[in-house]
């Protein structure tokens, strides 16, 4: 792991003259710099965020469990600083964690009544690494039950809403983190992405996010799994599971710089997850030299609204103006990718959830219970066939990317939407709610690194994210392109509809 501290910055910091609305607009990197330089204490930083949570969480329902030891963690960080001890790269920075990732001594429910009382004895590897880097755990954020829905709602905690418009989704399944970070309640959020669970929420709330190359961040401590007996370690992620072969831990924040700093902290093997590989990613890429780009309107099966396509085209034009060779065209085979993702996910099912629910099926929410109990059993042959299709598509896309090493495409067919509607008409075609994120699923099947960066607003004035996709293990290259787009289109800013008090 690379625990390099963030570079110095001149972000203003005066606790006595600024309220929580102003200070919580800072990026994670700006927070880290201010805390390491002593312009603010970790305790003051925590208090600001708790003030923000008291103001915003009742209307958004993003944070479902506060960490009772957060003040103790912040005080310990302040004592270390006062004694001149070594400070981690995230010294004192408050963060939240999706409720599907284990947190030692803090309930971890995956939004399911089946795990309402589960308190892990160990933290997920990714959570532990952030705390070892000095970050202060604020609490756990809401998600859909076992992270399978694209709107964040579950039978335990209810629904989470969007800071831009409280009638709209903040995305799913990492919608709690998305709402918390976008509303200033948390400096950054740690979540997961299987079919778009980091990217769709970032798109809905105007944040930057990174789904790293699958296999570089351990997934140890990621639910669903059968909780171990007292005194036993967290189980190793199953290397045969589609969840672990296609999904990954990911994160969202208010700047691309934040994404890169977290990448250096979170990558590397942990001796437990058998699928994690020790690939050195190197330092930040500061040049676009040698990068070429292809952009396209959709993944080939479901149309995308014209205003969202225009954002992708604008992103491509911005890169072209910076000297990046840019082509309009979709990789061959990608039109089969979203269906291949669904086929592989369906063939596997959710065996861990089935085991957890055995004899307690009524403890599941109605949506999940219906999909699990109604699913037809699949054979190993079904799974192998689905995996072979995935591999064939991946090979075709990799061949295309030998000439066009960055892909730009939309995140979804629509911007953040009202979850009460079951479908949306786009270019004359009705698209079911469950398929709005086909552009994300098509990329998930590949396992490639992909960032989302906001590149403008929709016709309604809602944020529009663009997916920046790179080749395997070229995560730093992806972030270099995302950073260039951020400089062109601007970093995250709070919603003009529900602006942060004192932030004007």
């Amino acid at each position: 792991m690379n625990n390099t501290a963030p570079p110095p910055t001149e972000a203003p910091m005066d606790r006595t003259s600024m309220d929580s609305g102003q200070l919580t607009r800072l990026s994670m990197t700006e927070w880290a710099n201010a805390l390491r330089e002593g312009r603010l204490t970790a305790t003051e930083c925590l208090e600001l965020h708790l003030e923000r949570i008291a103001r915003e969480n009742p209307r958004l329902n993003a944070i479902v469990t506060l960490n009772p030891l957060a003040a103790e963690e912040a005080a310990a960080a302040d004592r270390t600083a006062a004694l001149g001890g070594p400070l981690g790269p995230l010294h004192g920075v408050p963060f939240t964690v999706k409720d599907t990732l284990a947190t030692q001594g803090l309930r971890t429910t995956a939004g399911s009544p089946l795990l309402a009382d589960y308190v892990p004895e160990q933290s997920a590897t990714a959570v532990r690494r952030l705390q070892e880097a000095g970050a202060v755990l604020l609490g756990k954020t809401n998600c859909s039950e076992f992270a399978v829905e694209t709107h964040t709602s579950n039978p335990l905690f209810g629904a989470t809403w969007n800071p831009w418009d409280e009638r709209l989704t903040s995305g799913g399944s990492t919608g709690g983190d998305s709402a918390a970070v976008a509303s200033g309640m948390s400096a950054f959020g740690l979540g997961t992405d299987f079919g778009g669970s980091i990217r769709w929420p970032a798109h809905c709330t105007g944040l930057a996010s990174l789904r790293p190359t699958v296999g570089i961040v351990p997934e140890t401590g990621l639910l669903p799994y059968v909780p171990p007996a007292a005194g036993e370690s967290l189980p190793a992620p199953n290397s045969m599971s589609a969840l672990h072969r296609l999904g990954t831990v990911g994160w969202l924040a208010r700047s691309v710089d934040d994404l890169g700093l977290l990448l250096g902290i979170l990558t590397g093997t942990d001796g437990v997850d058998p699928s994690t590989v020790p690939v050195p990613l190197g330092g930040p890429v500061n040049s676009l030299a040698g990068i070429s780009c292809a952009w396209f309107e959709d993944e080939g099966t479901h149309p995308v609204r014209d205003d969202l396509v225009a954002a992708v085209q604008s992103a491509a034009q911005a890169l072209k103006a910076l000297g990046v060779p840019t082509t309009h065209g979709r990789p061959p085979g990608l039109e089969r990718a979203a269906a291949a993702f669904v086929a592989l996910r369906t063939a596997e099912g959710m065996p861990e959830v089935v085991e957890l629910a055995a004899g307690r099926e009524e403890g599941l929410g109605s949506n999940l219970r219906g999909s699990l109990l109604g699913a037809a059993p699949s054979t190993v042959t079904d799974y192998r066939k689905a995996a072979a299709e995935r591999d064939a598509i991946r090979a075709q896309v990799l061949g295309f990317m030998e000439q066009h090493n960055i892909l730009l495409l939309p995140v979804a067919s629509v911007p953040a939407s009202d979850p009460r509607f079951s479908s949306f008409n786009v270019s004359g075609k009705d698209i079911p709610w469950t398929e709005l994120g086909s552009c994300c699923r098509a990329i998930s099947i590949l396992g490639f690194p992909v960032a989302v960066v906001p590149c403008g607003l929709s016709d309604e004035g809602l944020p529009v994210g663009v997916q920046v996709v790179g080749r395997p293990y070229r995560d730093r290259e992806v972030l270099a392109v995302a950073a260039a787009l951020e400089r062109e289109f601007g970093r995250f800013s709070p919603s003009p509809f529900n602006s942060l008090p004192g932030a004007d």
Side-chain angles (χ1 to χ4, degrees):
M1 292 182 293
N2 175 13
N3 284 340
T4 304
T9 183
E10 294 302 321
M13 185 67 57
D14 181 355
R15 173 66 179 97
T16 61
S17 63
M18 301 180 75
D19 66 16
S20 66
Q22 291 170 303
L23 289 178
T24 50
R25 295 185 69 176
L26 300 175
S27 72
M28 180 201 78
T29 305
E30 289 168 339
W31 272 118
N33 288 326
L35 286 157
R36 287 174 56 84
E37 294 164 9
R39 290 182 280 136
L40 195 76
T41 69
T43 297
E44 289 174 327
C45 181
L46 174 64
E47 289 171 350
L48 284 165
H49 283 81
L50 291 176
E51 288 173 16
R52 194 74 197 156
I53 290 167
R55 181 193 296 268
E56 299 297 318
N57 205 50
R59 70 185 181 95
L60 300 177
N61 192 36
I63 298 175
V64 294
T65 304
L66 283 171
N67 177 17
L69 299 180
E72 186 176 313
E73 291 181 28
D78 288 335
R79 286 194 297 272
T80 299
L83 294 171
L87 303 183
L90 298 179
H91 168 76
V93 177
F95 74 108
T96 45
V97 174
K98 184 178 182 178
D99 208 23
T100 54
L101 288 162
T103 43
Q104 182 179 9
L106 193 63
R107 70 175 176 180
T108 301
T109 73
S112 177
L114 296 177
L115 294 171
D117 300 318
Y118 175 46
V119 179
E121 294 181 5
Q122 297 170 288
S123 287
T125 299
V127 175
R128 176 174 51 79
R129 286 179 175 174
L130 293 172
Q131 290 182 294
E132 289 173 350
V136 173
L137 176 60
L138 274 170
K140 306 299 288 292
T141 52
N142 208 18
C143 59
S144 55
E145 189 174 16
F146 288 110
V148 299
E149 302 287 344
T150 52
H151 172 53
T152 293
S153 183
N154 62 61
L156 272 184
F157 303 117
T160 297
W161 301 103
N162 195 321
W164 287 70
D165 186 331
E166 294 163 47
R167 298 167 297 179
L168 307 180
T169 185
S170 60
S173 58
T174 315
D177 271 325
S178 136
V181 177
S183 62
M185 289 189 279
S186 175
F188 69 96
L190 183 73
T192 60
D193 189 307
F194 184 33
S197 290
I198 282 282
R199 291 164 285 162
W200 163 240
H203 166 70
C204 286
T205 56
L207 296 170
S209 71
L210 181 67
R211 171 190 157 101
T213 301
V214 173
I216 65 172
V217 178
E219 293 189 285
T220 306
L222 169 61
L223 287 165
Y225 57 79
V226 176
E232 293 184 355
S233 298
L234 291 170
N238 191 319
S239 61
M240 291 287 289
S241 165
L243 174 65
H244 297 297
R245 292 182 67 83
L246 301 180
T248 179
V249 171
W251 45 94
L252 40 75
R254 292 191 282 265
S255 83
V256 173
D257 281 348
D258 298 352
L259 306 180
L261 179 57
L262 292 168
L263 179 68
I265 293 168
L266 290 165
T267 54
T269 59
D270 68 348
V272 180
D273 185 345
S275 300
T276 311
V277 291
V279 177
L281 299 178
V285 173
N286 297 315
S287 169
L288 299 182
I291 292 176
S292 57
C293 169
W295 73 275
F296 41 101
E297 294 89 347
D298 54 55
E299 39 74 53
T301 61
H302 291 309
V304 173
R305 261 182 34 176
D306 289 345
D307 50 339
L308 275 63
V309 172
V312 180
Q313 185 173 12
S314 295
Q317 290 170 342
L319 292 180
K320 185 175 182 180
L322 293 171
V324 175
T326 304
T327 300
H328 177 216
R330 183 194 306 121
L334 197 68
E335 71 282 354
R336 309 196 319 268
F341 174 87
V342 173
L344 194 55
R345 184 184 66 182
T346 302
E348 178 177 68
M350 298 185 72
E352 295 90 353
V353 176
V354 171
E355 185 175 354
L356 276 168
R360 300 187 296 158
E361 288 81 3
E362 293 304 314
L364 290 169
S366 58
N367 288 345
L368 190 56
R369 184 168 66 248
S371 61
L372 279 180
L373 299 182
S378 298
T379 65
V380 173
T381 300
D382 295 329
Y383 191 83
R384 283 174 55 87
K385 182 178 179 181
E389 170 72 347
R390 179 258 185 183
D391 294 342
I393 295 167
R394 191 174 186 273
Q396 282 188 280
V397 176
L398 274 174
F400 180 85
M401 293 181 77
E402 289 181 4
Q403 300 298 320
H404 314 287
N405 46 42
I406 290 291
L407 307 177
L408 298 182
L409 73 158
V411 174
S413 292
V414 297
S417 300
D418 188 334
R420 293 176 299 176
F421 294 99
S422 60
S423 66
F424 298 82
N425 188 281
V426 178
S427 301
K429 180 179 180 179
D430 280 335
I431 303 179
W433 174 273
T434 55
E435 296 182 28
L436 292 176
S438 288
C439 284
C440 282
R441 292 174 177 175
I443 301 304
S444 289
I445 199 79
L446 306 174
F448 297 171
V450 50
V452 168
V453 61
C455 292
L457 299 174
S458 71
D459 289 345
E460 305 95 332
L462 294 169
V464 176
V466 170
Q467 290 192 85
V468 181
V469 184
R471 295 167 292 178
Y473 311 113
R474 303 294 184 93
D475 301 61
R476 294 291 188 187
E477 195 170 80
V478 167
L479 291 175
V481 174
L485 292 175
E486 184 180 76
R487 288 191 293 270
E488 177 67 23
F489 292 95
R491 206 180 74 185
F492 168 83
S493 59
S495 160
F497 307 141
N498 292 294
S499 60
L500 297 174
D504 297 332

